[in-house]
Amino acid sequence: MAKKIMIVDDSRIAQLQLEKILSDTDYEVAACCQSGEEALETYETVQPDLVTMDILMPGMDGLETARLLLQRHPDARIIMISSLAYDDTIDEAKRIGTLGFVYKPFDGDQVLLSINNALTAAQG
């Protein structure tokens, strides 16, 4: 059974890139959200195995969304995907409890490795 992935990114281009990367894998894109608020609502319905989360989004940013999501669902698995590749941002993401960080622009192998690592870490 395919693992369900929820993509949270306000960029439709990034969503399409991630969907393409995941298309011929054991992962299924269960939902795409363009804001943190939408992600929090959609998570309840979709119950994904993993969430990819952009940081810079209108309204609630990805770090705040991840924080709230993990408060509500401590077993949620989240990897951050962002062009904000600063040490303090990465450290904050780790403190929140996210399981990985992928830099934009990303490549397919990098994304798949991060997803696989996050799912494996969560099982262990």
Side-chain angles (χ1 to χ4, degrees), residues 5-58:
I5 309 294
M6 184 170 91
I7 299 169
V8 183
D9 199 309
D10 62 316
S11 165
R12 188 67 185 129
I13 293 169
Q15 288 180 6
L16 290 170
Q17 288 173 324
L18 288 166
E19 287 176 341
K20 186 174 191 298
I21 289 166
L22 297 170
S23 66
D24 291 325
T25 67
D26 292 335
Y27 304 116
E28 164 199 349
V29 176
C32 288
C33 303
Q34 297 202 320
S35 70
E37 294 84 356
E38 184 185 355
L40 293 172
E41 289 176 28
T42 305
Y43 189 91
E44 305 285 336
T45 310
V46 174
Q47 295 290 309
D49 295 292
L50 183 126
V51 177
T52 66
M53 181 83 63
D54 186 23
I55 293 178
L56 289 177
M57 295 183 288

Side-chain angles (χ1 to χ4, degrees), residues 25-112:
T25 67
D26 292 335
Y27 304 116
E28 164 199 349
V29 176
C32 288
C33 303
Q34 297 202 320
S35 70
E37 294 84 356
E38 184 185 355
L40 293 172
E41 289 176 28
T42 305
Y43 189 91
E44 305 285 336
T45 310
V46 174
Q47 295 290 309
D49 295 292
L50 183 126
V51 177
T52 66
M53 181 83 63
D54 186 23
I55 293 178
L56 289 177
M57 295 183 288
M60 188 185 310
D61 73 21
L63 292 171
E64 182 62 20
T65 305
R67 186 178 290 111
L68 288 171
L69 191 57
L70 286 163
Q71 284 173 1
R72 295 178 190 178
H73 304 278
D75 58 339
R77 292 169 274 199
I78 304 169
I79 62 170
M80 306 305 289
I81 298 183
S82 182
S83 56
L84 274 187
Y86 303 113
D87 288 344
D88 57 341
T89 305
I90 296 167
D91 291 343
E92 177 68 11
K94 286 180 187 169
R95 265 194 305 282
I96 290 167
T98 65
L99 299 171
F101 201 102
V102 175
Y103 305 102
K104 285 182 180 177
F106 50 78
D107 66 48
D109 291 340
Q110 180 186 24
V111 170
L112 292 172

